[in-house]
């Protein structure tokens, strides 16, 4: 049995979970999420826990068991607390600002890059240089896709001396030391 799949998911206070017609719906303070698991997976609410069960020991069922449980767990966590992704912008004159539901970025192009945030995703700029972006959402998959899209406008270049561009805050690209100069 899957070590992850067999663990029950605790439902925190303030979060409502409903399973009907093969669809799992989670509602909490951060938002409403829904997910339609594979037809082989059986998701049920037992008291204050959510249990994911598989019908047999086939390879596909084993593969889907832990995945389904993790996706439902992410929905519960997202509805309760939400998720965040942090991005840093590095480069001379590179910056970002939030205007309504749009993220305006100056990334060294001849024009500013305007990115319309998807429904359910929020953005905020935290430092005075306007180079640290925090994206937040209840849906972890949507948030990851949005962060990847923002990063794709100017990914950190392959030149190990410059390192200009947009990157995740946890990402540490390797930087070479510049010329040492005459001694």
């Amino acid at each position: 049995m899957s070590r992850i799949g067999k663990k029950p998911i605790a439902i925190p206070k303030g979060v409502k979970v409903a399973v009907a017609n093969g669809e799992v719906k989670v509602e909490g303070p951060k938002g409403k999420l829904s997910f339609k698991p594979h037809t082989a997976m059986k998701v049920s609410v037992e008291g204050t826990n959510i249990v994911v069960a598989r019908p047999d020991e086939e390879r596909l069922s084993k593969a889907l068991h832990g995945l389904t449980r993790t996706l439902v767990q992410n929905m519960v966590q997202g509805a309760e607390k939400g998720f965040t992704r942090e991005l840093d912008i590095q480069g001379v004159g590179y910056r970002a600002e939030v205007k309504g539901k749009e993220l305006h970025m100056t990334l060294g192009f001849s024009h500013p890059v305007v990115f319309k945030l998807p429904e359910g995703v929020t953005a905020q700029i935290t430092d005075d240089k306007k180079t640290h972006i925090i994206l937040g959402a209840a849906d972890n998959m949507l948030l990851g896709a949005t962060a990847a899209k923002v990063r794709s406008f100017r990914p950190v270049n392959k030149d190990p001396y410059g390192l200009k561009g947009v990157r995740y805050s946890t990402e540490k690209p390797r930087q070479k030391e510049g010329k040492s100069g005459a001694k």
Side-chain angles (χ1 to χ4, degrees), residues 70-85:
T70 301
L71 292 175
V72 173
Q73 168 69 31
N74 283 347
M75 287 173 50
V76 171
Q77 185 179 346
E80 181 192 16
K81 300 176 188 170
F83 293 98
T84 60
R85 292 278 194 288

Side-chain angles (χ1 to χ4, degrees), residues 89-97 104-109 111-112 129-131 154 164-165:
I89 301 173
Q90 184 175 348
V92 176
Y94 288 18
R95 62 186 174 277
E97 59 184 329
H104 292 254
M105 296 174 284
T106 305
L107 299 174
F109 298 118
H111 58 281
K129 294 185 211 172
K130 299 182 178 182
T131 58
R154 177 71 90 169
K164 297 187 301 186

Side-chain angles (χ1 to χ4, degrees), residues 5 7 9 11 17-26 35-46 49-55 64-65 67-73 75-76:
K7 293 180 184 176
I9 303 164
I11 302 172
V17 179
V19 180
N21 299 331
E23 187 173 23
V24 180
K25 294 182 180 181
V26 179
F35 168 63
K36 195 166 181 116
H38 192 273
T39 54
M41 295 296 106
K42 304 294 182 238
V43 181
S44 60
V45 178
E46 297 177 2
N49 291 326
I50 304 169
V51 178
V52 179
R54 66 177 185 230
L64 291 171
H65 192 202
L67 172 69
T68 304
R69 190 249 181 223
T70 301
L71 292 175
V72 173
Q73 168 69 31
M75 287 173 50
V76 171

Side-chain angles (χ1 to χ4, degrees), residues 18-179:
V19 180
N21 299 331
E23 187 173 23
V24 180
K25 294 182 180 181
V26 179
E27 185 177 340
K30 293 290 184 176
K32 298 178 183 178
L33 300 167
S34 64
F35 168 63
K36 195 166 181 116
H38 192 273
T39 54
M41 295 296 106
K42 304 294 182 238
V43 181
S44 60
V45 178
E46 297 177 2
T48 60
N49 291 326
I50 304 169
V51 178
V52 179
R54 66 177 185 230
D56 50 35
E57 296 296 315
E58 289 186 21
R59 186 180 179 113
L60 178 64
S61 297
K62 287 180 178 182
L64 291 171
H65 192 202
L67 172 69
T68 304
R69 190 249 181 223
T70 301
L71 292 175
V72 173
Q73 168 69 31
N74 283 347
M75 287 173 50
V76 171
Q77 185 179 346
E80 181 192 16
K81 300 176 188 170
F83 293 98
T84 60
R85 292 278 194 288
E86 296 186 19
L87 296 149
D88 287 324
I89 301 173
Q90 184 175 348
V92 176
Y94 288 18
R95 62 186 174 277
E97 59 184 329
V98 179
K99 293 182 181 175
K101 292 291 288 174
E102 293 180 339
L103 185 62
H104 292 254
M105 296 174 284
T106 305
L107 299 174
F109 298 118
S110 61
H111 58 281
V113 176
V114 179
F115 178 67
K116 187 174 180 336
L117 294 168
E119 191 67 36
V121 177
T122 61
Q124 62 185 122
I125 311 298
T126 57
D127 63 348
D128 57 338
K129 294 185 211 172
K130 299 182 178 182
T131 58
H132 188 76
I133 305 168
I134 298 177
L135 298 173
D139 187 352
N140 198 15
M141 289 189 286
L142 176 64
L143 179 64
T146 303
K149 181 68 176 172
V150 170
R151 183 179 180 273
S152 73
F153 291 125
R154 177 71 90 169
V156 175
N157 55 3
K158 300 298 179 196
D159 174 28
Y161 296 103
L163 300 182
K164 297 187 301 186
V166 181
R167 65 170 166 249
Y168 299 112
S169 293
T170 57
E171 189 178 0
K172 301 291 183 211
R174 203 177 87 204
Q175 184 171 11
K176 289 187 177 179
E177 188 176 325
K179 293 184 179 179

